[in-house]
Amino acid sequence: LTLRQQEIAQLVSEGNSSKHIARLLGISPETVRKHRHHIYKKLSINSVADIVKVLIQIEKIYTPTE
């Protein structure tokens, strides 16, 4: 994912709407929707829940265990 897509995926996983994400990032809601579409396509996923699952897996990989 691009840096912008990663940023949007994180914000989506936190429960933010496309409109709210657009306001936070200073872009249009339609641009957010397009990024979300590309995220879903690149990751072969279909829902926000799937985004959360992917981000959890990535965090497990990159978080050192104690």
Side-chain angles (χ1 to χ4, degrees):
L1 299 178
T2 66
L3 290 176
R4 181 61 100 181
Q5 289 168 346
Q6 291 174 40
E7 185 176 26
I8 289 173
Q10 182 63 44
L11 290 167
V12 167
S13 75
E14 293 170 1
N16 294 291
S17 68
S18 291
K19 281 184 179 182
H20 185 69
I21 293 168
R23 276 186 254 124
L24 288 172
L25 301 178
I27 58 178
S28 76
E30 183 59 30
T31 301
V32 174
R33 283 190 282 277
K34 286 183 181 184
H35 280 301
R36 287 177 71 162
H37 172 77
H38 291 128
I39 292 165
Y40 284 33
K41 190 173 179 180
K42 282 183 177 181
L43 298 177
S44 300
I45 60 175
N46 298 306
S47 68
V48 173
D50 291 334
I51 290 176
V52 173
K53 288 177 192 174
V54 168
L55 292 176
I56 288 170
Q57 290 303 316
I58 290 169
E59 187 173 319
K60 285 181 182 177
I61 292 168
Y62 292 104
T63 303
T65 55
E66 294 183 47

